[in-house]
Amino acid sequence: MDQNIEPKIEQSSKKNIIVWVIVGVIAILILLGIWYWLAQKKVVTPVTPTPAPQAPAPTAQPSAPQVPAAPKEDSVSSINQELNSIDTGSLDQEFQAIDADINSL
Amino acid sequence: MKKIAVSLIVLGMMAFGAVSLAAPKATGTSVNLGQNILDEIKRNRIMTREEFEAKTAEIKNLMEQKQAELRNQIQTKREKLQAQIEAKRKELRNRLAKIKDEHKKQIVERVYIQVNELNKRITDHFLNVLERLEKVLERISSRAAKAEANGQDISAVKTAITEATNAINAAKTAVQNQASKVYSVTVNTESSLKTDVGKTRQTLHNDLKNVFNLVRTAQEAVRKAATTLAQIPNIDELEIPATQPATTTQPTP
């Protein structure tokens, strides 16, 4: 009788091990899937380019030229353009009205 | 079979718990911000494109907030000075009583008003220039950060940015001080009116010239930073990679 029970217990513990191995593998696969999904989500997000203010209407040219994309805000050309548009002004010019009044004294 | 189902449910719940904990980390932005985006790159070596853009926007907001604060401070100071300007105008009228020529009296009073208005107008203009320079410098920092994320050596740009930041700050302080000045005209005799009023005009001119020079220095410093940035090959094509590699450059102290 005892001889019959022992192989049954052994068989049942083997089954348990197999079940846990399967569960472990499935769990790892689920975690990998979630990690991959999160990683993909980050990669796919595109950097939204600044849209061109107004695309020029196509002219009578045979091959339609591509509309040039507006330069990014932090591109060197955009930086230089902004820098060149900054005018510190002329002090002497600002004093002209005052100087005219003083000279009339 | 029952055991497998139970285990799967438990594991699934654990996995989603882990994901929900990780999610705010991926999209959240830190509250403590550096001077510019380069500081943030220095602090947070692994930054995604989204995080980079969020940080840039946050730094821009902070910069605009600081600019508004300075404007408000100057405005408050000016409102207080207005009473002082009016009081000095009355004093001037009293002193002008000894001058017989009405036309000259009017001119002197007008010059007094013009001098103080010019000071206000020019300091406002300088402040405007400095704010625009700051915005340009922020763009330079953003582009430099992208270059750094792509493994480029940006040490020269960093130095130029620091110098430009210091120059802008020095000019801002000078503008703030200049904006809080009130100019008065000393009247001695009728014959010395031109010289007396001329002295006030010259004092204002000299003061504004000093501030102007600091503003120009700041402008040149920003231009230098832009020129140094432009020397990095293919600078405009560099973007923050989807997953930024760890950079090798040493952070500046």
Side-chain angles (χ1 to χ4, degrees):
Chain A
M1 193 67 178
D2 278 356
Q3 277 173 349
N4 273 344
I5 293 166
E6 248 177 55
K8 267 188 181 176
I9 293 169
E10 215 172 285
Q11 216 177 340
S12 140
S13 72
K14 266 185 185 176
K15 263 187 183 176
N16 268 347
I17 290 167
I18 291 166
V19 165
W20 281 111
V21 167
I22 292 167
V23 167
V25 168
I26 290 169
I28 289 167
L29 284 173
I30 289 171
L31 287 172
L32 278 174
I34 290 165
W35 172 79
Y36 179 75
W37 175 69
L38 282 175
Q40 280 296 103
K41 207 178 160 191
K42 276 180 193 172
V43 173
V44 165
T45 315
V47 177
T48 43
T50 321
Q54 270 201 341
T59 50
Q61 283 174 348
S63 60
Q66 278 195 329
V67 178
K72 283 177 187 160
E73 206 187 36
D74 62 356
S75 68
V76 170
S77 59
S78 174
I79 287 168
N80 283 334
Q81 203 181 342
E82 177 64 14
L83 209 45
N84 290 334
S85 72
I86 298 174
D87 180 19
T88 46
S90 163
L91 269 188
D92 291 332
Q93 213 174 330
E94 296 288 342
F95 274 85
Q96 273 176 2
I98 293 176
D99 287 344
D101 268 344
I102 292 174
N103 287 332
S104 67
L105 279 172
Chain B
M1 205 54 198
K2 212 176 176 183
K3 273 183 185 172
I4 295 173
V6 170
S7 307
L8 279 177
I9 291 165
V10 171
L11 280 166
M13 284 166 75
M14 280 167 69
F16 278 105
V19 168
S20 59
L21 276 172
K25 253 187 202 173
T27 52
T29 49
S30 75
V31 180
N32 299 320
L33 289 166
Q35 282 295 304
N36 55 43
I37 192 68
L38 282 170
D39 292 343
E40 289 302 318
I41 285 274
K42 216 187 289 172
R43 232 186 280 173
N44 191 2
R45 288 299 174 99
I46 301 161
M47 203 186 267
T48 64
R49 206 177 288 172
E50 283 169 320
E51 284 171 334
F52 178 83
E53 281 166 10
K55 285 261 185 272
T56 310
E58 220 173 324
I59 288 164
K60 201 176 169 186
N61 281 344
L62 193 74
M63 180 184 71
E64 283 169 358
Q65 219 175 306
K66 280 184 180 175
Q67 288 177 347
E69 270 172 33
L70 182 63
R71 275 196 181 273
N72 285 341
Q73 277 174 17
I74 291 175
Q75 188 53 36
T76 312
K77 184 79 186 168
R78 273 188 184 143
E79 280 163 13
K80 284 179 187 168
L81 288 178
Q82 202 50 46
Q84 207 179 322
I85 290 172
E86 272 306 308
K88 284 195 173 186
R89 190 178 172 181
K90 279 177 189 167
E91 275 176 35
L92 178 66
R93 270 186 193 158
N94 292 337
R95 285 201 303 270
L96 282 170
K98 58 187 170 192
I99 309 294
K100 287 172 188 168
D101 191 330
E102 277 302 317
H103 182 62
K104 283 183 179 178
K105 275 186 191 178
Q106 281 174 9
I107 290 173
V108 174
E109 202 175 326
R110 193 164 65 221
V111 169
Y112 168 77
I113 295 164
Q114 281 177 331
V115 160
N116 285 297
E117 274 180 1
L118 187 62
N119 187 41
K120 180 185 178 294
R121 199 169 69 240
I122 292 186
T123 47
D124 269 345
H125 172 65
F126 287 161
L127 199 61
N128 218 12
V129 167
L130 292 171
E131 283 178 357
R132 287 179 69 185
L133 286 175
E134 247 180 343
K135 282 176 186 166
V136 171
L137 196 61
E138 201 47 54
R139 290 187 196 181
I140 293 171
S141 298
S142 161
R143 183 51 55 191
K146 287 175 183 173
E148 188 174 40
N150 282 276
Q152 298 282 333
D153 177 17
I154 61 151
S155 49
V157 186
K158 273 184 181 173
T159 309
I161 289 171
T162 307
E163 283 170 6
T165 307
N166 292 341
I168 289 173
N169 288 339
K172 268 186 171 180
T173 308
V175 169
Q176 200 173 2
N177 291 337
Q178 182 60 31
S180 61
K181 286 183 181 175
V182 174
Y183 291 85
S184 54
V185 177
T186 311
V187 176
N188 293 314
T189 59
E190 192 156 347
S191 57
S192 69
L193 264 183
K194 194 174 176 176
T195 319
D196 294 338
V197 178
K199 274 179 192 167
T200 307
R201 179 257 184 222
Q202 201 50 44
T203 309
L204 173 71
H205 189 275
N206 292 344
D207 289 349
L208 287 176
K209 189 78 185 168
N210 289 338
V211 184
F212 176 81
N213 288 338
L214 287 171
V215 174
R216 283 302 290 266
T217 305
Q219 192 183 27
E220 286 313 309
V222 176
R223 194 178 291 281
K224 189 186 164 193
T227 312
T228 315
L229 178 80
Q231 284 163 5
I232 297 172
N234 301 322
I235 184 68
D236 281 347
E237 287 153 34
L238 303 173
E239 288 298 331
I240 291 287
T243 312
Q244 189 197 327
T247 48
T248 49
T249 49
Q250 288 296 311
T252 47

